[in-house]
Amino acid sequence: LADADNAAAIPPVGVANASITDSTAGDIVVSGIIDGMDTSSFSAGDNVYLDTTAGALVATRPDQEWVYRIGQVVYSDASNGVLMVNMERVPGRFYAHASFDGKTSASSNADAHFAVEYEGTIEKIELFTSTFMTGSSADDHWLVDIQDVTNSDASMLSAVYNTNTSGDFTWKTWNDLGTLTATTANLAMTRSSILNLEITEAGAVGTNAPSWGGLAIGVRVTLIPNN
């Protein structure tokens, strides 16, 4: 059985149109229609992918850089389901990267913009700093947010990353900025989407930790591609 996370069991060859036991001949469909199968866990129109469970299909792309799209569900039914087999290797994830020179400000920096060149839904946002960054007091901390400029500056995060409560930034490491907003529309990216890195300094953070000024700052946004 093909298995998305087993290198020895990919790529998939085709979809069996009936169960085939070991040492028994049977038919597989490489391209075309299979009917009379159980597609009840999917909806008509769903793209289905090779799952990390051997021999299974899944509607959500596995968490891998490359995945195998097996085809599309034509009809959803427990016994008379129809699947159009059209196998192809497709990206499982896209990445948007940006690098900036450090800035410090007592107010928001609203000029660190970068474009997203892919269409999909944001899965994770990470920040990189070239120096260990701290600031853990109520009067002395950093606030970091990512906004969608083309969506009325909608925040991508459910809460702004705050070094006072969220933790310090480990240098030379990709730091996860935390839970994303529950508003799906805010996470939907198109080729015209522009994101903004917003860093706010509260208090004299530079007295307890290196200033953002002159630092190398990197942002990495992981997107699940649209079907």
Side-chain angles (χ1 to χ4, degrees):
L1 296 175
D3 186 344
D5 58 358
N6 180 357
I10 53 176
V13 177
V15 181
N17 63 1
S19 296
I20 305 173
T21 60
D22 290 345
S23 304
T24 302
D27 296 325
I28 65 170
V29 175
V30 176
S31 179
I33 288 285
I34 296 180
D35 57 13
M37 64 183 299
D38 182 3
T39 57
S40 59
S41 59
F42 309 108
S43 298
D46 280 353
N47 285 289
V48 290
Y49 304 87
L50 177 63
D51 198 3
T52 53
T53 298
L57 300 176
V58 63
T60 302
R61 295 188 190 215
D63 184 9
Q64 297 170 313
E65 188 171 359
W66 290 92
V67 298
Y68 289 91
R69 182 161 55 204
I70 303 302
Q72 297 79 36
V73 174
V74 178
Y75 180 62
S76 176
D77 189 82
S79 57
N80 295 311
V82 180
L83 177 70
M84 170 66 76
V85 178
N86 181 24
M87 297 188 301
E88 57 181 333
R89 184 172 180 260
V90 297
R93 295 294 184 273
F94 288 139
Y95 303 94
H97 292 85
S99 298
F100 308 100
D101 290 330
K103 299 177 181 291
T104 58
S105 174
S107 59
S108 301
N109 296 317
D111 57 354
H113 295 92
F114 61 103
V116 175
E117 298 179 355
Y118 308 103
E119 295 190 355
T121 302
I122 292 182
E123 180 183 50
K124 180 188 294 185
I125 303 174
E126 299 163 290
L127 187 75
F128 172 93
T129 63
S130 60
T131 303
F132 180 73
M133 298 300 299
T134 185
S136 56
S137 70
D139 299 321
D140 191 4
H141 55 277
W142 298 103
L143 300 174
V144 179
D145 195 18
I146 299 287
Q147 300 173 336
D148 182 359
V149 178
T150 55
N151 186 20
S152 302
D153 290 332
S155 178
M156 305 289 96
L157 303 173
S158 62
V160 174
Y161 192 98
N162 184 341
T163 55
N164 182 36
T165 55
S166 304
D168 299 327
F169 286 110
T170 303
W171 72 316
K172 299 181 180 178
T173 297
W174 285 109
N175 297 269
D176 192 335
L177 291 183
T179 305
L180 301 177
T181 175
T183 306
T184 304
N186 289 4
L187 302 177
M189 297 289 103
T190 68
R191 294 182 186 275
S192 62
S193 294
I194 303 294
L195 300 186
N196 176 49
L197 170 65
E198 181 179 278
I199 300 172
T200 304
E201 175 183 340
V205 181
T207 62
N208 295 334
S211 167
W212 283 99
L215 283 181
I217 303 172
V219 178
R220 179 170 65 187
V221 178
T222 303
L223 296 99
I224 303 174
N226 289 340
N227 291 332

